[in-house]
Amino acid sequence: MMHHLFSSILVNHVLNHTAGLHNALAGISENDHKLFCDFDECLKRIATVAPETEPGRVQLYHYLSYGWLCGGIIEHATGKKFQDILEEAIVRPLGIEGEFYIGIPPGVESRLATLTIDRDDLILFDPEHDIYKSSLYSGSWPSSYTFNMVSTLIPLMNTLNARRSIQPAGNGHFSTRALARYYATLADGGVVPSRHPSSPLPPLESHPTKDDVNTKIFTNPKEKMHDAFYGSGDYKDLALPNSGFGLGFVRLNTTGGSVIGVGHMGLGGSTGHCDINNRFAIAVTVNKLSLGALTGEIIKFVCLELDLPIPQLYDSLSVK
């Protein structure tokens, strides 16, 4: 039965968090740090794990296994290492060298923030807590996504070994502007935006300037790419209907229910998204991790100032 279910997992199931491997290797960040930092060994182990639900049927957030699954697919499809593909497909075309890493190279350590957690806030991950139960995505979180997991994962991610490891679902080291530039590119269907001439932020010393205009990182038409992100149009049969996730991204809805864009809230409040309808992209990064109330206030403030719709995800958050 295990091999039958695993062989029926498709790429769209992985992208839509319906692969049934949401708890795959659960506990390794608490119990096996060496394994957690070994990307290739994690791929081997995850290939032996039986899906807990029939692929394509149940959407549960693959909070860490998503990184190994997507990374493994990328490596096997291209025959190249994950970091090489990241550089070739995203970092260099977007001109964000020195600001966008999954697994840091030597010499970057001094530029990294140290992560801390708001324990009083994140303890609300207790499944019995009323705030957890009322969360928009509480029904999408698997049983192993707990406060204990978070409270052990964060100190681990501050270690050098973890920061140098390849963990695409939990080891992103980004500047806010690089993350926003990535989402701006997605908003325009893969067309890389030119640099703003009046930007007050000079590039990092390790970041060579590029003024490439109209570089395109996707070959499909913009509308097709956006349908894929939403899991709509020609891709509607590849995503679970009326769910929080499209293909690879969270669908962003207004409080009225209309879909306006895609993005993803990271663990602890860091986030990025694009309002595709308005060609708007924004990112917020934090180093004290909480349930994201402050992030929500920042997003709401910016959207109100620009007269843009507020995604329901952020509008539902408020500062304690």
Side-chain angles (χ1 to χ4, degrees):
M1 185 63 175
M2 178 186 77
H3 294 293
H4 169 69
L5 282 179
F6 201 94
S7 63
S8 65
I9 296 175
L10 304 177
V11 172
N12 61 285
H13 297 151
V14 172
L15 293 176
N16 194 229
H17 295 263
T18 58
L21 296 170
H22 38 278
N23 289 322
L25 301 190
I28 65 164
S29 63
E30 296 103 308
N31 306 316
D32 196 337
H33 296 179
K34 184 177 180 181
L35 173 61
F36 181 82
C37 294
D38 190 329
F39 183 74
D40 292 333
E41 189 60 30
C42 282
L43 291 181
K44 294 176 185 177
R45 299 281 187 95
I46 205 171
T48 69
V49 177
E52 295 180 42
T53 56
E54 183 180 349
R57 295 291 184 183
V58 179
Q59 189 171 81
L60 286 163
Y61 182 35
H62 288 45
Y63 61 98
L64 284 178
S65 57
Y66 187 85
W68 296 309
L69 290 166
C70 288
I73 289 170
I74 289 169
E75 290 200 343
H76 282 77
T78 64
K80 298 180 180 181
K81 290 296 184 182
F82 176 85
Q83 283 182 309
D84 293 336
I85 292 296
L86 185 67
E87 283 287 320
E88 293 173 15
I90 303 293
V91 175
R92 287 202 293 269
L94 268 61
I96 49 178
E97 296 94 332
E99 299 184 55
F100 200 99
Y101 299 109
I102 294 177
I104 63 166
V108 177
E109 300 84 359
S110 64
R111 293 166 43 206
L112 303 182
T114 298
L115 302 178
T116 60
I117 63 173
D118 183 336
R119 298 184 68 88
D120 292 337
D121 201 17
L122 288 177
I123 196 66
L124 303 181
F125 272 128
D126 180 353
E128 296 304 312
H129 200 286
D130 288 342
I131 290 183
Y132 178 97
K133 292 177 180 178
S134 66
S135 168
L136 283 175
Y137 298 105
S138 62
S140 299
W141 289 346
S143 58
S144 58
Y145 195 82
T146 63
F147 173 72
N148 184 58
M149 182 277 295
V150 173
S151 62
T152 55
L153 177 64
I154 300 311
L156 172 60
M157 295 308 291
N158 282 323
T159 67
L160 187 57
N161 284 344
R163 285 182 151 170
R164 287 180 174 172
S165 67
I166 306 301
Q167 178 43 264
N171 192 19
H173 294 85
F174 313 134
S175 70
T176 305
R177 60 181 174 181
L179 194 57
R181 189 167 172 80
Y182 166 76
Y183 274 105
T185 302
L186 297 186
D188 270 353
V191 177
V192 179
S194 58
R195 295 193 180 279
H196 197 286
S198 62
S199 172
L201 293 171
L204 296 171
E205 291 182 7
S206 60
H207 178 145
T209 59
K210 289 178 63 176
D211 294 315
D212 297 344
V213 179
N214 295 328
T215 298
K216 199 168 189 299
I217 64 171
F218 301 133
T219 56
N220 287 345
K222 182 195 306 188
E223 292 74 17
K224 290 284 188 183
M225 296 308 307
H226 291 161
D227 281 348
F229 299 156
Y230 290 142
S232 63
D234 291 343
Y235 303 87
K236 66 180 180 180
D237 294 331
L238 300 182
L240 204 62
N242 304 316
S243 62
F245 291 97
L247 296 177
F249 298 94
V250 171
R251 297 178 176 125
L252 293 180
N253 303 312
T254 64
T255 52
S258 59
V259 180
I260 58 172
V262 295
H264 206 291
M265 174 77 85
L267 171 64
S270 292
T271 193
H273 79 258
C274 57
D275 177 339
I276 290 172
N277 296 348
N278 291 291
R279 298 182 67 232
F280 170 74
I282 189 171
V284 177
T285 56
V286 298
N287 61 332
K288 184 174 184 180
L289 309 189
S290 68
L291 290 181
L294 179 59
T295 301
E297 292 297 317
I298 293 170
I299 297 289
K300 288 160 62 178
F301 173 78
V302 173
C303 288
L304 287 171
E305 287 293 308
L306 297 177
D307 196 24
L308 295 172
I310 300 170
Q312 183 183 13
L313 172 62
Y314 306 113
D315 199 33
S316 66
L317 299 173
S318 61
V319 174
K320 293 183 295 183

